[in-house]
């Protein structure tokens, strides 16, 4: 599923000349090994280089390589793009790999799932992402809407208070008898 979303993201990013290289999620192949005690295994391309976690499963954006590297920022923009295009119902997370090649990503969905699919990460990751995400230049290039609530505008001048009337009102304290105060 995440590979299908990265294909659509790639199409959107390629339409913007300034975007540059685009992350890819490498395919995982299922192989049958009938003569082995464990008859099935998965294979994927060997990634050579510095392996980096661009996002952790809980959606936190603390990792410096995520914020400061081009690959990290583009992964973050991909998460934002998926979140926006699924109306907040799905989030690709746990993104890791070498450079722009990603592997073993996780998917979080809303509680009821998304289009019949239940993710493999907690649904709370979506709420955390919405709160923690900070847009970067790639989010802006793609025209993604900020996930942060807009600050309320404060009025320039305070409203004037009503002036008291010229005749002071008589105040009564304690119990009163009819006609006495």
């Amino acid at each position: 599923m995440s590979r299908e979303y990265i294909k659509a993201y790639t199409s959107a990013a390629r339409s913007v000349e300034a975007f540059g290289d685009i992350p890819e999620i490498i395919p995982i192949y299922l192989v049958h090994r009938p003569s082995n005690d464990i008859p099935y295994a998965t294979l994927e391309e060997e990634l050579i280089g510095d392996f980096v976690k661009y996002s952790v499963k809980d959606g936190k954006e603390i990792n410096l390589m995520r914020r400061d590297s081009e690959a990290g920022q583009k992964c973050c923009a991909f998460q934002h793009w998926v979140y926006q295009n699924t109306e907040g119902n799905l989030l690709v997370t746990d993104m890791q790999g070498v450079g722009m090649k990603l592997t073993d990503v996780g998917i979080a969905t809303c509680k009821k799932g998304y289009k019949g699919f239940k993710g493999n990460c907690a649904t709370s990751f979506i709420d955390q992402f919405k709160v923690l995400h900070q847009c970067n230049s790639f989010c802006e290039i793609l025209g993604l809407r900020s996930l942060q609530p807009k600050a309320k505008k404060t009025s320039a001048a305070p409203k004037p208070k009503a002036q008291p009337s010229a005749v002071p009102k008589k105040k009564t304290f304690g119990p009163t008898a009819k006609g006495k105060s």
Side-chain angles (χ1 to χ4, degrees):
M1 178 180 245
S2 59
R3 284 183 41 83
E4 292 304 311
Y5 278 104
I6 200 86
K7 287 177 190 177
Y9 174 72
T10 297
S11 178
R14 280 196 178 133
S15 69
V16 181
E17 191 175 318
F19 198 87
D21 292 337
I22 302 164
E24 70 172 295
I25 298 171
I26 62 172
I28 298 173
Y29 301 99
L30 179 66
V31 293
H32 184 235
R33 308 175 307 169
S35 61
N36 198 301
D37 289 342
I38 302 171
Y40 292 96
T42 57
L43 292 175
E44 63 183 2
E45 174 185 346
E46 180 180 12
L47 298 178
I48 299 171
D50 293 331
F51 193 84
V52 177
K53 284 185 104 30
Y54 295 113
S55 72
V56 291
K57 280 190 176 183
D58 64 4
K60 293 182 180 173
E61 295 188 272
I62 296 169
N63 184 326
L64 292 177
M65 287 300 292
R66 176 180 172 77
R67 284 193 320 229
D68 297 341
S69 73
E70 180 180 342
Q73 290 181 27
K74 288 179 177 180
C75 287
C76 185
F78 172 57
Q79 286 184 292
H80 187 169
W81 184 88
V82 168
Y83 178 87
Q84 183 171 305
N85 283 278
T86 62
E87 298 175 349
N89 289 299
L90 187 136
L91 180 69
V92 177
T93 189
D94 198 23
M95 297 170 66
Q96 54 202 335
V98 176
M100 295 286 184
K101 291 190 174 211
L102 307 174
T103 183
D104 196 26
V105 300
I107 297 177
T109 59
C110 63
K111 288 183 180 169
K112 63 182 186 275
Y114 181 67
K115 295 188 177 184
F117 178 76
K118 284 255 187 197
N120 61 351
C121 295
T123 58
S124 62
F125 297 177
I126 293 175
D127 296 330
Q128 289 176 9
F129 176 77
K130 184 177 178 181
V131 171
L132 296 172
H133 174 71
Q134 294 177 356
C135 287
N136 62 46
S137 61
F138 297 104
C139 295
E140 292 170 14
I141 287 171
L142 293 172
L144 301 174
R145 296 182 306 272
S146 174
L147 302 178
Q148 305 308 317
K150 296 193 185 233
K152 293 182 179 179
K153 294 181 181 179
T154 56
S155 58
K159 293 182 181 178
K161 293 183 180 181
Q163 297 295 324
S165 62
V167 180
K169 291 183 181 178
K170 184 177 177 183
K171 293 186 179 179
T172 307
F173 299 104
T176 61
K178 198 172 189 177
K180 296 183 179 178
S181 51

